Amino acid sequence: MSSPDTAAAVRDRDALRLLAAEPAVMLAAGRALLLQVAHPRIARGVADHSDLRERPLDRLTGTLDFLTVVAFGTEEEAGRLGRGLRRLHHRITGPGYSGDDPDLQVWVNATLTDAALYVYEEILRSPSGDLGAAYVEQARYVAEVLGCPPDAQPADRDGFRRYFEDTVASLEVTDAGREVMRAVLWSRELRWLGPALWLNRFVTTGLLPEPVRVQYGLPWGPRRDRCLWILLRTGAFSYRLVPGRLRRAGVPVLLWRSRRRLARKARAAQRSRREPAA
């Protein structure tokens, strides 16, 4: 049964939906992922249990499907998806980590929240006002769908910023994290993307907080930084010329495709559960 906080978030997802519908937020997807695996316990869990290295696009679309349905789908769809993911996370355990750990769930959700705010405020330079505060509050719903207790999450935007900055300062990139980083930024499975993969590597490296970038051993410098921000500012100017309603017009199609993919996965899971008994 939903808590009052969760029910309110479900009813009032306007800020969550507004930012989630902006295609530009994908610019910080790599930043979010590498901040996640900069946490030693998350890196170990990904290295032990994820097929990210072999199927990077599948993992990306899986994350996008989850976020799309939670943001734009019905409460019943989000609840059903959350129950399935909680069952999956319950099986992810290892030395020092668990998929059910609320601390890790809060950090994963915080990196996704930060990614959207970073693009909206730092790259697009859009005035956030109450939107930023509302987004932080409503983004808590994403973690709650996964079973994270509301009290475990930062209560407001100021609390979120303090939590985020403190956690970034405490991150220790391990060999497992660097292995995941190389699999993402230099993916053998995606080498056919060529220049697009190089561009993703360039943007992701530049958007990482400097202490984390240094720990990953990713080269950077003032010249690259200037080139990146000239590119981002030029792109943002052109992006803002497109009316917001037109930029976000693809949401119904994205939701339809996410529902179809999730339905196929559910049918495949049912077949695999029946096969041993046959």
Side-chain angles (χ1 to χ4, degrees), residues 50-218:
S50 176
D51 58 358
L52 175 67
R53 285 161 290 191
E54 295 78 21
R55 301 169 64 189
L57 285 181
D58 286 350
R59 297 287 65 76
L60 175 62
T61 56
T63 300
L64 292 177
D65 288 342
F66 168 75
L67 294 174
T68 299
V69 169
V70 171
F72 303 105
T74 66
E75 182 179 359
E76 291 74 20
E77 287 176 317
R80 186 166 58 249
L81 182 56
R83 287 190 294 274
L85 286 172
R86 289 196 294 274
R87 287 194 296 270
L88 176 64
H89 288 168
H90 186 67
R91 298 196 294 269
I92 299 176
T93 58
Y97 67 84
S98 166
D100 293 328
D101 188 332
D103 290 340
L104 303 186
Q105 292 172 343
V106 169
W107 177 238
V108 168
N109 191 49
T111 64
L112 300 173
T113 303
D114 162 79
L117 287 177
Y118 190 89
V119 171
Y120 191 72
E121 296 175 357
E122 301 297 329
I123 298 177
L124 297 182
R125 292 287 183 90
S126 299
S128 56
D130 292 337
L131 177 62
Y135 181 79
V136 168
E137 181 179 348
Q138 293 172 25
R140 298 171 67 201
Y141 173 61
V142 178
E144 289 179 38
V145 167
L146 294 174
C148 184
D151 292 344
Q153 304 184 63
D156 53 33
R157 184 171 180 175
D158 289 341
F160 174 80
R161 285 301 181 200
R162 287 193 299 272
Y163 163 77
F164 186 83
E165 291 169 5
D166 290 347
T167 303
V168 167
S170 70
L171 293 173
E172 295 183 20
V173 178
T174 61
D175 288 343
R178 281 183 280 270
E179 180 184 350
V180 174
M181 175 271 294
R182 286 190 291 270
V184 170
L185 298 186
W186 283 272
S187 172
R188 294 181 180 179
E189 302 299 321
L190 300 181
R191 59 182 178 272
W192 54 274
L193 289 173
L197 192 61
W198 175 89
L199 183 61
N200 174 66
R201 184 163 60 244
F202 179 67
V203 172
T204 296
T205 300
L207 295 187
L208 282 173
E210 184 178 2
V212 177
R213 185 169 60 230
V214 169
Q215 288 193 62
Y216 273 120
L218 292 168

Side-chain angles (χ1 to χ4, degrees), residues 198-267:
W198 175 89
L199 183 61
N200 174 66
R201 184 163 60 244
F202 179 67
V203 172
T204 296
T205 300
L207 295 187
L208 282 173
E210 184 178 2
V212 177
R213 185 169 60 230
V214 169
Q215 288 193 62
Y216 273 120
L218 292 168
W220 199 248
R223 182 177 299 178
R224 293 187 184 189
D225 200 61
R226 284 194 298 272
C227 290
L228 172 64
W229 285 99
I230 289 171
L231 177 66
L232 292 176
R233 295 280 182 247
T234 303
F237 175 78
S238 302
Y239 183 85
R240 289 194 300 268
L241 292 178
V242 180
R245 188 170 296 179
L246 183 58
R247 296 197 307 261
R248 298 186 284 270
V251 166
V253 175
L254 292 176
L255 181 58
W256 174 75
R257 292 184 65 182
S258 292
R259 285 168 167 163
R260 288 196 65 186
R261 280 193 293 261
L262 290 169
R264 283 200 302 268
K265 289 179 182 178
R267 289 193 296 269

